[in-house]
Amino acid sequence: MGDVSKVLDPALEPIAAKVYAGERLSFDEGLALYRTRDLNTLMRLADHVRRQKHGDRTYFVHSLRFSQTNICYVGCPFCAFAKRFGEEGAWDWSVEESVAWVRERYEPGLTEIHIASGHHPKKPFGYYLELVAALKANFPGVQVKAWTAAEIHHFSKIAKADYRTVLSELVAAGLDAMPGGGAEIFAERVRRQIARNKVNAEGWLEVHRTAHALGLPTNATMLYGHIETLEERLDHMDRLRRLQDETGGFMSFIPLAFQPLGNSLAQNLGKTEFTTGLDDLKNLAIARVYLDNFPHIKGYWATLTVPLAQVSLDWGVSDIDGTLIAESIVNAAGATSGRAMTKEELARIVRRAGRLPVERDAVYNVVRVYDAVA
């Protein structure tokens, strides 16, 4: 039980009492967390919730990032990854070329191939089924976590089939889990400006609802630090919390800091600075306290930076993602954290933050519990 007497902001006293009692916060109480300057209390509350769920364990995954194409017609202004046909730097691989690319980067012990790519205007749905099946056949034992809800929505259009049919066929081909991208911010005001041509909020949520009904676990993200308000951030989390109450199929929530380089949204906003460490940590902590039904809050080191990801373990984070072999999407948008780390480097970072490193697979089965001391 935490000590409510240490709370400096009177507005947080009833909130702290509820958190220590294991009670859910209201929307207004979530906003009070965003508005408080009592950061020590916020950190303690988030750390309390994390510790209640996971003790000293911090998770990561040995993961290869793969994109079979970067060709995309959607044109999101925050993206620095997408290309058009014929544009310099564009790629568009066949199934055979994709398998060869993965084979070249495959490492023993790899447990996850994480696929995110563009909305390709010409590839038929059958291509994606063949790709999953080929990856599973060529790399047995490796799980395929692939395609955001936005991409599943795109597949449903090209296949002229509903979400259930599309997802059922992908699962039958070997799909093990889904990443959480494409969520951005659910508020319509923001979505009209930064994701006009992408699946809307209701569609994104319905894809995940359908996946969970089929037994396919998923993650959820939130892209913050651009034009959204604090109320819109919390609204985003609130919609996720309600769906998780309904389905229980989310594994983790991943706040993604907007990267202000190489994209038109940053240029139009005149934005050249990254989100502050304080904003990043507050966001993670509030997510940990507010999303009481999510198992994990992920501190994505590729956008946070490694030092801040390490600090975030005291702010509610129980997962720092993974080795990220060949990560390219956030690096294209200006992330400065590098493209990959080894499992040993991740374990060392976790240990030095006073936590116990746990290697997991794509669906949070434990692969290895590392020694507590290096």
Side-chain angles (χ1 to χ4, degrees):
M1 176 64 71
D3 187 354
V4 179
S5 68
K6 295 180 180 178
V7 177
L8 300 179
D9 180 354
L12 297 193
E13 289 180 1
I15 294 174
K18 288 180 75 172
V19 171
Y20 291 138
E23 298 174 13
R24 172 167 287 187
L25 300 187
S26 69
F27 191 89
D28 288 342
E29 289 166 336
L31 278 181
L33 293 177
Y34 266 120
R35 291 168 177 157
T36 189
R37 299 179 67 178
D38 185 356
L39 300 179
N40 285 332
T41 295
L42 177 58
M43 179 182 68
R44 282 199 302 272
L45 295 179
D47 197 51
H48 171 81
V49 176
R50 177 201 61 77
R51 193 171 293 279
Q52 291 293 306
K53 290 181 180 290
H54 302 292
D56 283 336
R57 292 188 163 206
T58 295
Y59 296 78
F60 65 85
V61 63
H62 192 19
S63 173
L64 173 67
R65 292 313 206 241
F66 169 59
S67 300
Q68 78 280 353
T69 186
N70 59 351
I71 291 173
C72 183
Y73 67 80
V74 173
C76 297
F78 58 83
C79 179
F81 175 75
K83 300 288 185 184
R84 303 285 183 177
F85 285 110
E87 188 176 348
E88 183 180 357
W91 71 82
D92 182 13
W93 293 328
S94 66
V95 170
E96 292 73 21
E97 289 170 327
S98 297
V99 170
W101 187 95
V102 172
R103 191 182 306 284
E104 188 174 327
R105 291 157 183 81
Y106 177 83
E107 296 178 3
L110 188 78
T111 53
E112 173 189 277
I113 299 174
H114 173 131
I115 306 176
S117 58
H119 291 47
H120 193 290
K122 295 184 179 179
K123 282 278 195 303
F125 179 53
Y127 164 84
Y128 301 97
L129 298 174
E130 292 175 17
L131 179 56
V132 174
L135 292 173
K136 297 290 285 191
N138 282 276
F139 308 101
V142 178
Q143 295 165 324
V144 176
K145 183 179 74 180
W147 300 306
T148 68
E151 290 166 286
I152 299 298
H153 176 76
H154 168 67
F155 296 167
S156 76
K157 291 196 295 184
I158 60 177
K160 295 182 172 54
D162 58 23
Y163 297 153
R164 174 172 285 273
T165 300
V166 167
L167 287 166
S168 296
E169 292 189 19
L170 286 170
V171 169
L175 185 66
D176 294 290
M178 277 177 56
E184 323 316 355
I185 290 284
F186 289 145
E188 183 61 22
R189 180 194 73 84
V190 178
R191 221 167 175 82
R192 280 200 304 270
Q193 297 181 66
I194 72 167
R196 181 187 299 272
N197 298 321
K198 190 173 278 183
V199 63
N200 61 23
E202 290 71 27
W204 190 98
L205 292 164
E206 185 59 28
V207 168
H208 284 264
R209 179 181 288 109
T210 306
H212 299 170
L214 293 171
L216 185 69
T218 74
N219 300 299
T221 62
M222 177 177 73
L223 181 68
Y224 69 96
H226 40 85
I227 63 171
E228 85 287 356
T229 65
L230 298 181
E231 288 82 358
E232 287 164 340
R233 289 187 194 182
L234 197 64
D235 167 71
H236 187 94
M237 293 186 203
D238 198 64
R239 297 197 209 191
L240 290 173
R241 191 170 75 174
R242 279 182 272 151
L243 181 56
Q244 181 74 332
D245 276 345
E246 180 184 331
T247 67
F250 287 117
M251 300 180 287
S252 71
F253 175 68
I254 311 134
L256 298 173
F258 175 62
Q259 304 298 303
L261 302 178
N263 61 80
S264 62
L265 179 60
Q267 291 172 357
N268 293 339
L269 295 173
K271 203 173 181 65
T272 58
E273 296 180 350
F274 290 82
T275 54
T276 67
L278 179 60
D279 192 17
D280 296 330
L281 291 173
K282 282 188 74 173
N283 216 44
L284 289 163
I286 292 166
R288 181 58 288 167
V289 174
Y290 196 77
L291 294 174
D292 57 346
N293 53 4
F294 270 63
H296 294 279
I297 303 300
K298 187 180 291 186
Y300 189 46
W301 67 262
T303 57
L304 288 177
T305 74
V306 171
L308 197 62
Q310 196 175 33
V311 173
S312 75
L313 301 185
D314 282 338
W315 292 71
V317 165
S318 54
D319 189 305
I320 56 172
D321 203 283
T323 50
L324 305 187
I325 302 168
E327 200 291 319
S328 59
I329 293 178
V330 300
N331 275 275
T336 58
S337 299
R339 289 177 182 268
M341 282 197 290
T342 66
K343 293 189 291 185
E344 288 69 28
E345 286 172 322
L346 287 167
R348 178 179 57 81
I349 288 167
V350 170
R351 282 195 196 100
R352 291 196 171 181
R355 301 284 185 267
L356 182 65
V358 178
E359 183 183 346
R360 61 168 176 84
D361 65 10
V363 295
Y364 284 88
N365 295 310
V366 172
V367 175
R368 174 186 172 187
V369 179
Y370 286 68
D371 294 335
V373 179

Coordinates of all heavy atoms in Angstrom, one line a residue, residues 183-246:
A183 N -3.0 3.6 -35.2 CA -4.0 4.2 -34.3 C -3.8 5.7 -34.3 O -4.9 6.4 -34.2 CB -3.8 3.6 -32.9
E184 N -2.6 6.2 -34.3 CA -2.3 7.6 -34.2 C -3.0 8.2 -33.1 O -2.8 7.9 -31.9 CB -2.6 8.3 -35.6 CG -2.4 7.5 -36.9 CD -1.1 6.8 -37.0 OE1 -0.2 6.9 -36.1 OE2 -0.9 6.0 -37.9
I185 N -4.0 9.2 -33.3 CA -4.9 9.7 -32.3 C -6.3 9.5 -32.8 O -6.6 9.8 -33.9 CB -4.6 11.2 -32.0 CG1 -3.3 11.4 -31.3 CG2 -5.8 11.8 -31.2 CD1 -3.3 11.1 -29.9
F186 N -7.2 8.9 -32.0 CA -8.5 8.6 -32.4 C -9.4 9.8 -32.7 O -10.3 9.7 -33.5 CB -9.2 7.7 -31.4 CG -8.7 6.3 -31.3 CD1 -8.6 5.6 -30.1 CD2 -8.2 5.6 -32.5 CE1 -8.1 4.3 -30.0 CE2 -7.6 4.3 -32.4 CZ -7.6 3.7 -31.2
A187 N -9.2 10.9 -32.1 CA -10.1 12.1 -32.2 C -10.2 12.5 -33.7 O -9.2 12.6 -34.4 CB -9.5 13.2 -31.4
E188 N -11.4 12.6 -34.1 CA -11.7 12.9 -35.5 C -11.0 14.2 -36.0 O -10.5 14.3 -37.1 CB -13.2 13.0 -35.7 CG -13.6 13.3 -37.2 CD -13.2 12.2 -38.1 OE1 -12.9 11.1 -37.7 OE2 -13.1 12.4 -39.4
R189 N -11.0 15.3 -35.1 CA -10.3 16.5 -35.4 C -8.9 16.3 -35.9 O -8.4 16.9 -36.9 CB -10.4 17.5 -34.2 CG -9.8 18.8 -34.5 CD -9.5 19.6 -33.2 NE -8.4 19.0 -32.4 CZ -7.1 19.4 -32.6 NH1 -6.8 20.2 -33.5 NH2 -6.2 18.8 -31.9
V190 N -8.2 15.5 -35.1 CA -6.8 15.3 -35.4 C -6.6 14.3 -36.6 O -5.8 14.6 -37.5 CB -6.1 14.6 -34.2 CG1 -4.6 14.3 -34.5 CG2 -6.2 15.5 -33.0
R191 N -7.5 13.3 -36.6 CA -7.3 12.3 -37.7 C -7.6 12.9 -39.1 O -6.9 12.6 -40.1 CB -8.3 11.2 -37.4 CG -7.8 9.8 -37.7 CD -8.6 8.7 -37.2 NE -8.0 7.5 -37.6 CZ -6.9 6.9 -37.0 NH1 -6.4 7.5 -36.0 NH2 -6.4 5.8 -37.5
R192 N -8.5 13.9 -39.1 CA -8.7 14.6 -40.4 C -7.4 15.3 -40.9 O -7.2 15.5 -42.1 CB -9.8 15.6 -40.3 CG -11.2 15.0 -40.3 CD -12.2 16.1 -40.7 NE -12.2 17.2 -39.8 CZ -12.9 17.3 -38.6 NH1 -13.7 16.3 -38.3 NH2 -12.8 18.4 -37.9
Q193 N -6.6 15.7 -40.0 CA -5.4 16.5 -40.4 C -4.2 15.6 -40.6 O -3.3 15.9 -41.4 CB -5.1 17.5 -39.3 CG -6.2 18.6 -39.2 CD -5.9 19.6 -38.1 OE1 -4.9 20.4 -38.3 NE2 -6.6 19.6 -37.0
I194 N -4.0 14.5 -39.9 CA -2.8 13.7 -40.0 C -3.0 12.3 -40.6 O -2.0 11.7 -40.9 CB -2.1 13.6 -38.6 CG1 -2.9 12.6 -37.7 CG2 -1.9 15.0 -37.9 CD1 -2.1 12.2 -36.4
A195 N -4.2 11.9 -40.7 CA -4.4 10.5 -41.2 C -5.7 10.4 -42.0 O -6.5 9.5 -41.9 CB -4.4 9.5 -40.1
R196 N -5.9 11.4 -42.9 CA -7.2 11.6 -43.6 C -7.5 10.4 -44.4 O -8.7 10.0 -44.5 CB -7.0 12.8 -44.5 CG -8.3 13.1 -45.3 CD -8.0 14.2 -46.3 NE -7.6 15.5 -45.6 CZ -8.4 16.4 -45.2 NH1 -9.7 16.2 -45.3 NH2 -8.0 17.5 -44.5
N197 N -6.5 9.7 -45.0 CA -6.8 8.6 -45.9 C -6.6 7.2 -45.3 O -6.7 6.2 -46.0 CB -5.9 8.7 -47.2 CG -6.1 10.0 -47.9 OD1 -7.2 10.4 -48.1 ND2 -5.0 10.6 -48.4
K198 N -6.4 7.3 -44.0 CA -6.2 6.0 -43.3 C -7.6 5.5 -42.7 O -8.5 6.3 -42.5 CB -5.1 6.2 -42.2 CG -4.7 4.9 -41.6 CD -3.5 5.2 -40.6 CE -2.2 5.3 -41.4 NZ -1.0 5.5 -40.5
V199 N -7.6 4.3 -42.3 CA -8.8 3.8 -41.6 C -9.2 4.7 -40.4 O -8.3 5.2 -39.7 CB -8.6 2.3 -41.1 CG1 -7.5 2.3 -40.0 CG2 -9.9 1.8 -40.5
N200 N -10.5 4.9 -40.2 CA -10.9 5.8 -39.1 C -10.8 5.1 -37.8 O -10.5 3.9 -37.7 CB -12.3 6.4 -39.4 CG -13.4 5.3 -39.5 OD1 -13.2 4.2 -38.9 ND2 -14.5 5.6 -40.1
A201 N -11.1 5.8 -36.7 CA -11.0 5.3 -35.4 C -11.9 4.0 -35.2 O -11.4 3.0 -34.6 CB -11.3 6.3 -34.3
E202 N -13.1 4.2 -35.6 CA -14.0 3.1 -35.4 C -13.6 1.8 -36.2 O -13.7 0.7 -35.7 CB -15.4 3.5 -35.9 CG -16.1 4.5 -35.0 CD -15.5 5.9 -35.1 OE1 -14.9 6.2 -36.2 OE2 -15.6 6.7 -34.2
G203 N -13.0 2.0 -37.4 CA -12.5 0.9 -38.1 C -11.3 0.3 -37.5 O -11.2 -1.0 -37.4
W204 N -10.4 1.1 -36.9 CA -9.2 0.6 -36.3 C -9.7 -0.3 -35.1 O -9.2 -1.4 -34.9 CB -8.3 1.7 -35.8 CG -7.0 1.3 -35.2 CD1 -5.8 1.4 -35.9 CD2 -6.7 0.8 -33.9 NE1 -4.8 0.9 -35.1 CE2 -5.3 0.6 -33.9 CE3 -7.4 0.5 -32.8 CZ2 -4.6 0.1 -32.8 CZ3 -6.8 0.0 -31.7 CH2 -5.4 -0.2 -31.7
L205 N -10.6 0.2 -34.3 CA -11.0 -0.5 -33.1 C -11.8 -1.8 -33.5 O -11.6 -2.9 -32.9 CB -11.9 0.4 -32.3 CG -11.2 1.5 -31.6 CD1 -12.2 2.6 -31.1 CD2 -10.4 1.1 -30.4
E206 N -12.5 -1.7 -34.6 CA -13.3 -2.9 -35.0 C -12.3 -4.0 -35.5 O -12.6 -5.2 -35.3 CB -14.3 -2.5 -36.1 CG -15.2 -3.7 -36.6 CD -16.0 -4.3 -35.5 OE1 -16.3 -3.5 -34.5 OE2 -16.3 -5.5 -35.5
V207 N -11.2 -3.6 -36.2 CA -10.2 -4.6 -36.6 C -9.7 -5.4 -35.4 O -9.6 -6.6 -35.4 CB -9.1 -4.0 -37.4 CG1 -7.9 -5.0 -37.6 CG2 -9.6 -3.5 -38.8
H208 N -9.3 -4.6 -34.4 CA -8.8 -5.2 -33.2 C -9.9 -6.1 -32.4 O -9.6 -7.1 -31.9 CB -8.2 -4.2 -32.3 CG -6.8 -3.7 -32.8 ND1 -5.6 -4.2 -32.3 CD2 -6.5 -2.8 -33.7 CE1 -4.6 -3.7 -33.0 NE2 -5.1 -2.8 -33.8
R209 N -11.1 -5.6 -32.4 CA -12.2 -6.3 -31.8 C -12.3 -7.7 -32.5 O -12.5 -8.7 -31.9 CB -13.5 -5.5 -31.9 CG -14.7 -6.3 -31.3 CD -16.0 -5.4 -31.4 NE -16.0 -4.3 -30.5 CZ -15.8 -3.0 -30.8 NH1 -15.7 -2.7 -32.1 NH2 -15.8 -2.1 -29.9
T210 N -12.3 -7.6 -33.8 CA -12.4 -8.9 -34.6 C -11.2 -9.8 -34.4 O -11.4 -11.0 -34.2 CB -12.5 -8.5 -36.1 OG1 -13.6 -7.6 -36.3 CG2 -12.8 -9.8 -36.9
A211 N -10.0 -9.2 -34.3 CA -8.8 -10.1 -34.1 C -8.9 -10.8 -32.7 O -8.7 -12.0 -32.6 CB -7.6 -9.2 -34.1
H212 N -9.3 -10.0 -31.7 CA -9.4 -10.6 -30.4 C -10.5 -11.7 -30.4 O -10.3 -12.7 -29.7 CB -9.8 -9.5 -29.4 CG -8.7 -8.4 -29.3 ND1 -8.9 -7.3 -28.6 CD2 -7.5 -8.4 -29.8 CE1 -7.8 -6.5 -28.7 NE2 -7.0 -7.2 -29.4
A213 N -11.6 -11.5 -31.1 CA -12.6 -12.5 -31.1 C -12.1 -13.8 -31.8 O -12.6 -14.9 -31.5 CB -13.8 -12.0 -31.9
L214 N -11.1 -13.7 -32.7 CA -10.5 -14.8 -33.3 C -9.4 -15.4 -32.5 O -8.7 -16.4 -33.0 CB -10.0 -14.5 -34.7 CG -11.1 -14.1 -35.7 CD1 -10.5 -13.5 -37.0 CD2 -12.0 -15.3 -36.1
G215 N -9.1 -14.9 -31.4 CA -8.0 -15.4 -30.5 C -6.6 -14.8 -31.0 O -5.6 -15.4 -30.6
L216 N -6.6 -13.8 -31.8 CA -5.4 -13.2 -32.3 C -5.0 -12.0 -31.4 O -5.7 -11.0 -31.4 CB -5.5 -12.7 -33.7 CG -4.3 -12.2 -34.4 CD1 -3.3 -13.3 -34.7 CD2 -4.7 -11.5 -35.7
P217 N -3.9 -12.1 -30.6 CA -3.6 -11.0 -29.7 C -3.0 -9.9 -30.4 O -2.3 -10.0 -31.5 CB -2.5 -11.7 -28.7 CG -2.0 -12.8 -29.5 CD -3.0 -13.3 -30.4
T218 N -3.1 -8.7 -29.9 CA -2.7 -7.4 -30.6 C -2.1 -6.5 -29.6 O -2.2 -6.6 -28.4 CB -3.8 -6.7 -31.3 OG1 -4.7 -6.1 -30.4 CG2 -4.6 -7.7 -32.2
N219 N -1.4 -5.4 -30.1 CA -0.9 -4.3 -29.3 C -1.7 -3.0 -29.7 O -2.4 -3.0 -30.7 CB 0.6 -4.2 -29.5 CG 1.3 -5.4 -29.1 OD1 1.3 -5.8 -27.9 ND2 2.0 -6.1 -30.0
A220 N -1.4 -2.0 -29.0 CA -2.1 -0.7 -29.3 C -1.1 0.4 -29.2 O -0.2 0.4 -28.2 CB -3.3 -0.4 -28.4
T221 N -1.1 1.4 -30.1 CA -0.2 2.5 -30.0 C -0.9 3.8 -29.9 O -2.2 3.9 -30.1 CB 0.7 2.6 -31.3 OG1 -0.1 2.8 -32.4 CG2 1.5 1.3 -31.4
M222 N -0.2 4.9 -29.6 CA -0.7 6.3 -29.7 C 0.4 7.2 -30.2 O 1.5 7.2 -29.5 CB -1.3 6.8 -28.4 CG -1.7 8.2 -28.4 SD -2.4 8.8 -26.8 CE -1.0 8.9 -25.8
L223 N 0.3 7.9 -31.3 CA 1.3 8.8 -31.7 C 1.0 10.2 -31.1 O -0.1 10.8 -31.4 CB 1.2 8.9 -33.3 CG 2.2 9.8 -33.9 CD1 3.6 9.3 -33.8 CD2 1.9 10.0 -35.4
Y224 N 1.9 10.7 -30.3 CA 1.6 11.9 -29.6 C 2.8 12.9 -29.8 O 3.8 12.6 -30.3 CB 1.5 11.7 -28.1 CG 2.8 11.2 -27.4 CD1 3.6 12.2 -26.8 CD2 3.2 9.9 -27.5 CE1 4.8 11.8 -26.2 CE2 4.4 9.5 -26.9 CZ 5.1 10.4 -26.2 OH 6.3 10.1 -25.7
G225 N 2.4 14.2 -29.5 CA 3.5 15.2 -29.6 C 3.4 16.0 -30.9 O 4.4 16.6 -31.3
H226 N 2.2 16.1 -31.5 CA 2.1 16.8 -32.8 C 1.0 17.9 -32.6 O 1.3 19.0 -32.1 CB 1.8 15.9 -34.0 CG 0.9 14.8 -33.7 ND1 -0.5 14.9 -33.8 CD2 1.1 13.5 -33.3 CE1 -1.0 13.8 -33.4 NE2 -0.1 12.9 -33.1
I227 N -0.2 17.6 -32.9 CA -1.3 18.7 -32.8 C -2.4 18.3 -31.8 O -3.3 19.0 -31.7 CB -1.9 18.9 -34.2 CG1 -2.6 17.7 -34.7 CG2 -0.9 19.4 -35.2 CD1 -3.5 17.9 -36.0
E228 N -2.2 17.2 -31.2 CA -3.3 16.7 -30.3 C -3.3 17.5 -29.0 O -2.3 18.0 -28.5 CB -3.2 15.2 -30.1 CG -2.2 14.8 -28.9 CD -0.7 15.0 -29.3 OE1 -0.4 15.4 -30.4 OE2 0.1 14.8 -28.4
T229 N -4.5 17.5 -28.3 CA -4.6 18.1 -27.0 C -4.4 17.0 -25.9 O -4.5 15.8 -26.3 CB -5.9 18.7 -26.8 OG1 -7.0 17.7 -26.8 CG2 -6.2 19.8 -27.8
L230 N -4.3 17.4 -24.7 CA -4.2 16.4 -23.6 C -5.5 15.6 -23.5 O -5.5 14.4 -23.2 CB -3.8 17.0 -22.3 CG -2.5 17.7 -22.2 CD1 -2.2 18.3 -20.9 CD2 -1.3 16.8 -22.6
E231 N -6.6 16.3 -23.7 CA -7.9 15.6 -23.7 C -8.0 14.6 -24.8 O -8.6 13.5 -24.6 CB -9.1 16.6 -23.8 CG -9.3 17.5 -22.6 CD -8.3 18.7 -22.6 OE1 -7.4 18.8 -23.5 OE2 -8.4 19.5 -21.6
E232 N -7.4 14.9 -25.9 CA -7.5 13.9 -27.0 C -6.6 12.7 -26.8 O -6.9 11.6 -27.2 CB -7.2 14.6 -28.3 CG -8.3 15.5 -28.8 CD -7.9 16.5 -29.9 OE1 -6.7 16.8 -30.0 OE2 -8.8 17.1 -30.6
R233 N -5.5 12.9 -26.1 CA -4.7 11.8 -25.7 C -5.4 10.9 -24.7 O -5.5 9.7 -24.9 CB -3.4 12.3 -25.0 CG -2.4 12.9 -25.8 CD -1.1 13.2 -25.0 NE -0.2 14.1 -25.7 CZ 1.0 14.5 -25.2 NH1 1.4 14.0 -24.0 NH2 1.7 15.3 -25.9
L234 N -6.1 11.5 -23.8 CA -6.8 10.6 -22.8 C -8.0 10.0 -23.4 O -8.4 8.8 -23.1 CB -7.2 11.5 -21.6 CG -7.6 10.7 -20.4 CD1 -6.4 9.9 -19.8 CD2 -8.1 11.6 -19.2
D235 N -8.7 10.7 -24.3 CA -9.8 10.1 -25.0 C -9.3 8.8 -25.8 O -10.0 7.8 -25.8 CB -10.4 11.1 -26.0 CG -11.3 10.4 -27.0 OD1 -12.4 10.0 -26.6 OD2 -10.9 10.3 -28.2
H236 N -8.1 8.9 -26.4 CA -7.6 7.8 -27.1 C -7.4 6.6 -26.1 O -7.8 5.5 -26.4 CB -6.2 8.2 -27.6 CG -5.5 7.2 -28.5 ND1 -5.7 7.2 -29.9 CD2 -4.8 6.1 -28.3 CE1 -5.0 6.2 -30.4 NE2 -4.4 5.6 -29.5
M237 N -6.8 6.9 -25.0 CA -6.6 5.8 -24.0 C -8.0 5.3 -23.5 O -8.1 4.1 -23.2 CB -5.8 6.3 -22.8 CG -4.4 6.6 -23.1 SD -3.5 7.0 -21.6 CE -2.1 8.0 -22.2
D238 N -8.9 6.1 -23.3 CA -10.2 5.7 -22.8 C -10.9 4.8 -23.8 O -11.5 3.8 -23.3 CB -11.1 7.0 -22.6 CG -12.3 6.7 -21.7 OD1 -12.0 6.3 -20.5 OD2 -13.4 6.7 -22.1
R239 N -10.8 5.0 -25.1 CA -11.4 4.1 -26.0 C -10.7 2.8 -26.0 O -11.4 1.7 -26.2 CB -11.4 4.7 -27.4 CG -12.2 6.0 -27.6 CD -12.4 6.4 -29.0 NE -12.5 7.8 -29.3 CZ -12.9 8.3 -30.4 NH1 -13.2 7.5 -31.4 NH2 -12.9 9.6 -30.6
L240 N -9.4 2.8 -25.8 CA -8.7 1.5 -25.8 C -9.1 0.7 -24.5 O -9.3 -0.5 -24.5 CB -7.2 1.8 -25.8 CG -6.6 2.3 -27.1 CD1 -5.1 2.6 -26.9 CD2 -6.7 1.2 -28.2
R241 N -9.2 1.5 -23.4 CA -9.6 0.8 -22.1 C -11.0 0.1 -22.3 O -11.2 -1.0 -21.7 CB -9.6 1.8 -21.0 CG -9.7 1.2 -19.6 CD -9.4 2.2 -18.5 NE -10.5 3.1 -18.3 CZ -10.6 4.0 -17.3 NH1 -9.6 4.1 -16.5 NH2 -11.7 4.8 -17.2
R242 N -11.9 0.8 -22.9 CA -13.2 0.2 -23.1 C -13.2 -1.0 -23.9 O -13.9 -2.0 -23.7 CB -14.2 1.3 -23.6 CG -14.7 2.3 -22.6 CD -15.7 3.2 -23.2 NE -15.0 4.4 -23.7 CZ -15.4 5.2 -24.7 NH1 -16.5 4.8 -25.4 NH2 -14.7 6.2 -25.1
L243 N -12.4 -1.0 -25.0 CA -12.3 -2.2 -25.9 C -11.6 -3.3 -25.1 O -12.0 -4.5 -25.2 CB -11.6 -1.9 -27.2 CG -11.5 -3.0 -28.1 CD1 -12.8 -3.6 -28.5 CD2 -10.7 -2.6 -29.4
Q244 N -10.6 -3.0 -24.3 CA -10.0 -4.0 -23.6 C -10.9 -4.7 -22.5 O -10.9 -5.9 -22.3 CB -8.7 -3.5 -22.9 CG -7.9 -4.4 -22.1 CD -7.1 -5.4 -22.9 OE1 -7.4 -5.8 -24.0 NE2 -6.0 -5.9 -22.3
D245 N -11.8 -3.8 -21.9 CA -12.8 -4.4 -21.0 C -13.7 -5.4 -21.8 O -14.1 -6.4 -21.2 CB -13.7 -3.3 -20.5 CG -13.1 -2.5 -19.3 OD1 -12.1 -3.0 -18.7 OD2 -13.6 -1.4 -19.0
E246 N -13.9 -5.1 -23.0 CA -14.8 -6.0 -23.8 C -14.2 -7.2 -24.3 O -14.8 -8.3 -24.3 CB -15.3 -5.1 -25.0 CG -16.2 -5.8 -26.0 CD -16.5 -4.9 -27.2 OE1 -16.5 -3.7 -27.1 OE2 -16.8 -5.5 -28.3

